[in-house]
Amino acid sequence: MLSLVLSPMKLASLVVVLMGTFVSISSESLVGVWLGLELNLYGFLVVMNPDGHHNPEPCVKYFVVQSTGSILMLSGFLFLTEECVESGLIMSSLGVLLKSGVFPLHSWVPSIIKNSSWLASGLMLTWQKISPLVFLSMIMPSKVLWSVIVLMAGIGAVGGLNQNSVRVMSAYSSFVHTSWMLLGLMWSTVVFVGYFAVYSLSVGLFFYGCSLSDKASMVGQFSSAASGMGLLMLMGMPPFLGFLAKVLIFLISSGPLISVCIMSSVISLKFYMDFFYSMMTKSLVDKNKMEMKFMWAFVVIVNFMGVVLVLGLLS
């Protein structure tokens, strides 16, 4: 369960995670990028299991995957220093693809997300992607990156259709959103930051609401509102707030790639709507229906701010 009160160990680990990311994206050397990713990894391992009482399986799996990716990256960097450019780029790209969970080295993400805590899962789908995605867009050729975007969008849309676990559904949903973020990163860093901010807020609200879903009546109502708000943003349908992020990428991109991303988002609406319908049905059973009506009205009003922002952007 997510908590607003963090233990000193978890707080220190989160600081290390943030520092690692900033070191990685601000470094001008390959060694600095690798060092930042390693710093991020060691801090995040503590976040996954801060007191040693959680299931160690996802933590061990994550360590093995990230360590393998780090070895591939470091090997690629050594090849680059020896002027073996082609081999170095291939090794580095494979390492970054594995660390970020991007096609074709993406299969580890759902299994680890499924058994992790809500906080670790949320960070894994959002903050942990920043450094690898930024570095990936710098070293990978455009044509290869286009293929990755198309395949990630397709896998995320189709793979999430038959999932019953909320965490696994969110993992496949992240594949679709990763394709949008990579597409935005190819054209504009500012647009990428905007899309990432909206996506992170959506995942944060959705996971926080889900973590509170087993609480008593009042907290249960709040969890429904938070989950609903996050889910509506993740859908990206007009006029909700998530629609703004997709509009920004649509305005700056061109070609068939944007069509593939749109199609994958339309397909993913199926599993979003299934979960949203079940959540709405459960909330309507609540005895205090008036408070629930006010709560859902607030959710809709906040998301309708998206259409105001879109109109202001287009004017």
Side-chain angles (χ1 to χ4, degrees), residues 31-298:
V31 176
V33 173
W34 177 82
L35 183 63
L37 289 172
E38 292 305 294
L39 191 64
N40 174 278
L41 168 61
Y42 295 139
F44 189 69
L45 288 174
V46 180
V47 173
M48 293 185 72
N49 197 3
D51 50 10
H53 296 157
H54 293 288
N55 183 9
E57 179 184 350
C59 189
V60 173
K61 284 184 178 179
Y62 188 78
F63 175 74
V64 171
V65 168
Q66 296 298 313
S67 299
T68 306
S70 298
I71 293 173
L72 289 172
M73 283 185 65
L74 192 58
S75 301
F77 294 164
L78 292 175
F79 277 118
L80 289 175
T81 57
E82 297 295 330
E83 298 184 355
C84 300
V85 178
E86 185 175 348
S87 300
L89 287 177
I90 292 175
M91 295 286 286
S92 301
S93 298
L94 287 175
V96 179
L97 288 172
L98 181 60
K99 290 181 77 69
S100 57
V102 173
F103 180 89
L105 304 175
H106 63 282
S107 58
W108 61 269
V109 177
S111 61
I112 294 180
I113 292 291
K114 182 178 180 180
N115 298 313
S116 300
S117 65
W118 289 109
L119 176 61
S121 300
L123 288 175
M124 205 180 303
L125 296 179
T126 54
W127 186 262
Q128 295 299 97
K129 289 181 176 291
I130 297 178
S131 299
L133 291 183
V134 171
F135 188 63
L136 187 66
S137 67
M138 294 179 179
I139 65 173
M140 182 168 284
S142 298
K143 292 184 179 180
V144 179
L145 196 57
W146 294 346
S147 302
V148 169
I149 291 173
V150 171
L151 292 169
M152 280 294 289
I155 291 171
V158 177
L161 291 176
N162 61 344
Q163 302 298 330
N164 296 321
S165 169
V166 175
R167 289 185 175 91
V168 176
M169 181 198 74
S170 301
Y172 282 101
S173 168
S174 74
F175 294 161
V176 178
H177 287 283
T178 299
S179 66
W180 280 92
M181 285 188 280
L182 283 173
L183 182 59
L185 194 56
M186 290 177 62
W187 295 94
S188 170
T189 304
V190 175
V191 172
F192 165 75
V193 172
Y195 192 100
F196 177 80
V198 174
Y199 172 65
S200 299
L201 177 62
S202 306
V203 172
L205 286 171
F206 182 52
F207 277 19
Y208 185 68
C210 290
S211 71
L212 299 176
S213 60
D214 295 330
K215 293 295 180 179
S217 178
M218 183 57 69
V219 179
Q221 294 172 14
F222 176 77
S223 70
S224 296
S227 299
M229 187 180 299
L231 196 60
L232 289 172
M233 292 180 183
L234 285 171
M235 287 182 186
M237 290 184 63
F240 301 118
L241 187 58
F243 180 63
L244 170 65
K246 289 182 169 59
V247 167
L248 292 176
I249 296 179
F250 179 80
L251 291 176
I252 64 171
S253 59
S254 59
L257 283 180
I258 188 65
S259 301
V260 173
C261 290
I262 292 174
M263 289 177 60
S264 66
S265 295
V266 172
I267 295 174
S268 63
L269 282 176
K270 198 271 179 184
F271 55 82
Y272 284 136
M273 292 303 297
D274 285 346
F275 183 81
F276 188 77
Y277 176 75
S278 63
M279 185 172 59
M280 283 288 293
T281 304
K282 181 180 179 181
S283 66
L284 290 176
V285 178
D286 195 280
K287 295 180 179 179
N288 199 338
K289 294 184 178 180
M290 184 59 67
E291 291 187 8
M292 288 304 302
K293 289 179 180 178
F294 282 120
M295 192 69 74
W296 280 105
F298 173 73

